[in-house]
Every structure is written in structure tokens, then in C-alpha cells.
């Protein structure tokens, strides 16, 4: 059975005090969440060590939102995978569309980042997803297949056990527009088939594939009921403990 995950990507939101309050709010309600659903929170870098302390002794996992593509040294402003592990992270998000779009994150960089994440014992939440124009052109399957093949196909089957894929259609992120359950299931099924064709059915069946993009308490249940949707990567709605927990309870 593959893991069910509900992960909160806080993006560039909250002060440390606000982030700690949010983490505490999630911890207080974690027992309401079904035991087979893993919660992950991804605060900004500056919050990681203090949020790690709040999460200690709970089943909630800590994630970063990105990591450097070099191991250490003269790379001003970067945070290494080793530092993230040291700060208490179990995961890092990589390849979020905002990183690809605004910070020039290429597949070549993602391959390097992914190797460093694994070397340092981090699992990776690897994001893929098409832009609105690409969906309108009907090339969304090609876009996602390319994002997967350029990065994930460089990995071994053993490394794939440490990868969670997040499908996040860019047109649904922060827009209030959610992919319909049918649209999401269609592409999640495609992602699993793509993984199966390369790695084999066993790896594909074991890979957790999350949906992201305006996922909220009101639509989570319908999305999570789809056979190839194994949870969510939540942005805006993860900034309220009650909403984040309500989404996780939708399973
Ligand atoms: P929203 O839930 O705010 O649409 O963001 C989704 C996302 O980008 C999570 O990584």
C-alpha cells in the first residue's frame, strides 16, 4: 500500500511566531486525522528549527520548500540539503512551478538537487504540472511526461521509493480554480502509467502522487476518492490549522 500524504506548503508566508502558532494548532488536532494519513508541513527556511521542536514526538513530518544544487561552499543565499537534514527535515519539495517560473529551476538543476537530497537522507516531493496555455493547446500530457522523464528517469527504482510526485496544474495554483476530480484523475493515472512504463508496475503502484492547486476542505474528499490521487500538496488552505486538518480528515 502506498503512503497517503497531506502536505502543507506555506510558501513565503508567516513570521516565525505565526508559523509556530500554526504548527501548534496542527499538532493539537493531529489525532483527528486518520492514522494512515501522514501530515507534512513545509515552512520557510527561517522557521525550520523552531517548527521542528514543536513537531518533536508527533507523527507530523517537516519539509523544506527547496534546497541548493551544490553541497556546500561559496553559494551566497543558498541552503544545502545537509543543512535541511540537520534542521530536522525529512523531506524537501523540489521543482515547484513557482521555482521553475520565477527562479529558473531547470530539469538539470533538479537532477543535481535530487541527488543531494538523497545523499543527505531527505525524501523529495517532486512537483510537475502544466500552465494554462499548455492545457489549452492540449499538450499537458507531453509537458508532464517531459518533466518526469528529464528528472525522475535519471533515478534508480530504489531512489524512487524516496520520491513523492505532486501534480500541480499551474492554472489551479492560488487561483481558486481546482482541476475537476475527473481532470485530476486522468493526469494522475497518466503519471502512474508513465512511471510504470519506465520503472515497472511495482514502483508505479508504490509511488504516492499528490494533487495540488486550490485544494480545500470543500473539494478534498472528491479529489482524494480518485484511485490515483494519494493526497494533496496544499498552499493557501494549509495556512489555517483548521482547514489543513479538515483536508486531511477528508480521507
Ligand atoms: P494553493 O493550494 O494555494 O492553490 O497552492 C497549491 C500549491 O502550489 C502547493 O504547493
Amino acid at each position: 500500500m502506498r503512503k497517503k500524504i497531506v502536505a502543507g506548503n506555506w510558501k513565503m508566508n508567516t513570521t516565525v511566531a505565526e508559523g509556530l502558532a500554526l504548527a501548534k494548532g496542527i499538532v493539537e488536532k493531529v489525532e483527528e486525522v486518520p492514522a494512515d494519513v501522514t501530515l507534512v508541513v513545509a515552512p520557510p527556511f527561517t522557521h525550520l528549527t523552531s517548527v521542528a521542536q514543536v513537531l518533536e514526538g508527533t507523527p507530523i513530518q517537516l519539509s523544506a520548500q527547496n534546497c541548493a544544487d551544490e553541497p556546500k561552499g561559496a553559494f551566497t543565499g543558498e541552503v544545502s540539503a545537509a543543512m535541511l537534514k540537520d534542521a530536522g527535515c525529512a523531506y524537501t519539495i523540489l521543482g515547484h512551478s513557482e521555482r521553475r517560473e520565477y527562479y529558473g529551476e531547470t530539469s538539470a538543476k533538479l537532477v543535481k538537487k535530487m541527488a543531494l537530497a538523497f545523499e543527505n537522507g531527505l525524501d523529495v516531493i517532486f512537483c510537475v504540472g502544466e500552465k494554462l496555455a499548455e492545457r489549452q493547446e492540449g499538450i499537458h500530457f507531453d509537458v508532464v511526461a517531459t518533466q518526469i522523464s528529464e528528472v525522475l528517469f535519471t533515478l534508480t527504482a530504489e531512489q524512487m521509493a524516496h520520491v513523492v510526485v505532486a501534480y500541480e496544474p499551474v492554472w489551479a495554483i492560488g487561483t481558486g480554480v481546482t482541476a475537476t476530480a475527473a481532470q485530476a484523475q486522468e493526469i494522475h493515472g497518466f503519471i502512474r502509467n508513465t512511471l510504470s512504463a519506465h520503472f515497472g508496475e511495482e514502483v508505479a503502484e508504490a509511488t504516492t502522487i499528490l494533487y495540488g492547486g486550490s485544494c480545500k476542505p470543500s473539494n478534498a474528499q472528491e479529489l482524494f476518492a480518485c484511485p490515483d490521487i494519494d493526497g494533496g500538496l496544499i498552499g493557501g488552505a494549509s495556512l489555517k490549522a483548521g482547514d489543513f486538518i479538515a483536508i486531511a480528515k477528508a480521507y
Side-chain angles (χ1 to χ4, degrees), residues 124-185:
V124 172
I125 301 174
F126 177 71
C127 304
V128 298
E130 81 285 359
K131 296 178 191 165
L132 180 59
E134 293 164 337
R135 180 162 279 262
Q136 285 169 337
E137 249 185 272
I139 57 168
H140 45 293
F141 292 112
D142 301 333
V143 168
V144 169
T146 301
Q147 290 168 335
I148 288 175
S149 64
E150 286 182 348
V151 180
L152 297 186
F153 288 3
T154 68
L155 305 179
T156 63
E158 290 71 32
Q159 287 173 320
M160 275 304 291
H162 299 283
V163 174
V164 170
V165 178
Y167 169 66
E168 300 204 307
V170 178
W171 46 272
I173 295 177
T175 58
V177 180
T178 317
T180 64
Q183 281 174 322
Q185 168 54 33

Side-chain angles (χ1 to χ4, degrees), residues 65 87 173 203 228 239 243:
Q65 299 175 15
I173 295 177
V203 168
D228 289 301
L239 296 171
D243 284 355

